[in-house]
Every structure is written in structure tokens, then in C-alpha cells.
Amino acid sequence: MNLKELIEERYSVRAYLPQSVEREKIEYILECARLAPSASNNQPWKFYVVRDSAAMSKLYESYHREWFRTAPMAIVVCKDTSASWKRTASDGKDHSDIDAAIASEHICLAAASIGLGTCWICNFNPEMVSSILSLPAHIEPIAIFPIGYVDTTKGTSPIKRRKGIAEITEWI
Ligand SMILES: Cc1cc2nc3c(=O)[nH]c(=O)nc-3n(C[C@H](O)[C@H](O)[C@H](O)COP(=O)(O)O)c2cc1C
């Protein structure tokens, strides 16, 4: 499968089987996240692998959706604002969100490439997640990624609804 085919195949999975995910597969996904590019190569991220059922139960509370409760595990991607590159020469923009987002999409694509489903979750309660993971002030949760085998009885890959190239592109 080439990259475009993988991108076409990935979709937000909102129904998982209870089957646990093998440790080698989680490590493969983490390795793909580790290799992501980042501003000035600062790698201002931290990945929290949540597999413990008691910890998962607490995580479900930070994002109340029944489908999320079907996920057997999750990776919480955090940004480290103490390590991120800032555009100090001009506006001081902190690039940690961008860096964490790149690593995050590596997680999604890596999972899809080995037959696992994921879904970006940003609509969680950040204070709750910081408390559950005992995060220090400079580490902030960016996204939660439930990961697991897809329950295909609850739906499959939807048709991609995307704007057309002409609408989103300017050739100058
Ligand atoms: C930054 C970001 C935040 C998102 N947050 C949520 C979320 O909180 N809950 C959810 O169900 N989906 C969330 N999504 C998934 C999007 O709804 C989904 O990617 C989009 O509708 C396109 O569908 P697809 O991923 O199946 O191609 C998020 C996606 C991104 C990129």
C-alpha cells in the first residue's frame, strides 16, 4: 500500500473490539511518533500509553462518549512547552502544538498501517487529563488517541468528505 492509499484508508474509528493491542504494535506506533519532525528538532512531546483498565476508566470520564468506552487503550499525546521552539526573532510563536500534531498524525497513520483504528480526540477536559496523568505544569495534553481493533459490525470506512483541490489551493 502506498502513502496515498494509507491516507485514504485511515478514518476516525468510533467502535472498538475489547481485544487488547499487542505490545509490539504499540511500540511500532510509538517509534513512528518518535521519528516525527519538529521545529528545530526539539521533540517537545511526551506520549502516555494508557492500558490499565482503572486508568482508562478515569480517562473515559474526561470525554463522555459511549463509543470511547469501547477503546481498550489510548495514547495521550502531550506537548512540553519548556522544550518547544519559539519564534523569538519575531512574534515568539510557540510551535509545540504543531510538533505534537505531526507526531499525532504519525500515530494515526502508523496504527492504520498495521490494521488498528484510532480517532483524534481533542474535545476532552484538559484539567481532568492532567490530573489523571499527574502532569507537571509544562506538560499539556494535546490529544487522546483511542487505539484498538475495529468493530466492523458497527460501521466501516465512511466516504471522505473533503473540499476540492480548487477550493483550497492557490497556485501563484
Ligand atoms: C485536531 C482534531 C481534533 C478532533 N477532535 C475530535 C473529538 O474530540 N471527537 C471526535 O469524535 N472526533 C474528533 N476529531 C476527528 C474529526 O472529526 C475527523 O478527523 C474528521 O471529521 C474527518 O473524518 P475522518 O478522520 O474519518 O477522515 C478530531 C480531529 C482532529 C484533526
Side-chain angles (χ1 to χ4, degrees):
M1 193 188 307
N2 66 32
L3 180 60
K4 181 165 173 280
E5 288 165 344
L6 178 63
I7 289 169
E8 283 169 343
E9 190 170 288
R10 184 219 57 84
Y11 69 99
S12 292
V13 172
R14 298 188 179 90
Y16 298 90
L17 297 172
Q19 187 182 339
S20 59
V21 179
E22 298 85 342
R23 190 181 173 99
E24 320 82 77
K25 293 196 174 178
I26 302 169
E27 286 171 350
Y28 176 83
I29 292 167
L30 291 169
E31 179 64 0
C32 292
R34 187 182 77 85
L35 294 172
S38 59
S40 189
N41 200 22
N42 282 15
Q43 304 160 62
W45 44 52
K46 190 104 186 182
F47 309 107
Y48 288 80
V49 181
V50 183
R51 293 192 299 167
D52 175 73
S53 57
M56 276 304 287
S57 294
K58 289 184 191 164
L59 209 54
Y60 300 143
E61 294 305 314
S62 73
Y63 181 69
H64 282 287
R65 299 291 184 283
E66 279 310 308
W67 69 261
F68 182 38
R69 292 178 183 275
T70 66
M73 64 159 291
I75 294 178
V76 182
V77 175
C78 298
K79 66 175 186 177
D80 180 348
T81 53
S82 72
S84 56
W85 182 76
K86 283 96 183 170
R87 193 161 51 196
T88 47
S90 50
D91 58 0
K93 181 184 167 80
D94 181 338
H95 283 56
S96 55
D97 281 315
I98 297 173
D99 294 336
I102 297 167
S104 293
E105 191 56 12
H106 279 209
I107 287 173
C108 293
L109 291 174
S113 77
I114 53 174
L116 292 165
T118 59
C119 183
W120 279 80
I121 295 176
C122 289
N123 193 19
F124 58 85
N125 181 315
E127 277 121 40
M128 282 180 76
V129 173
S130 295
S131 162
I132 293 162
L133 301 176
S134 304
L135 301 180
H138 63 286
I139 306 284
E140 295 176 29
I142 291 302
I144 301 173
F145 294 94
I147 300 179
Y149 289 94
V150 183
D151 183 350
T152 50
T153 65
K154 304 262 168 62
T156 48
S157 177
I159 292 162
K160 289 236 177 283
R161 290 183 295 109
R162 296 293 191 265
K163 294 175 182 175
I165 286 284
E167 194 184 344
I168 59 171
T169 313
E170 297 289 342
W171 293 61
I172 296 163

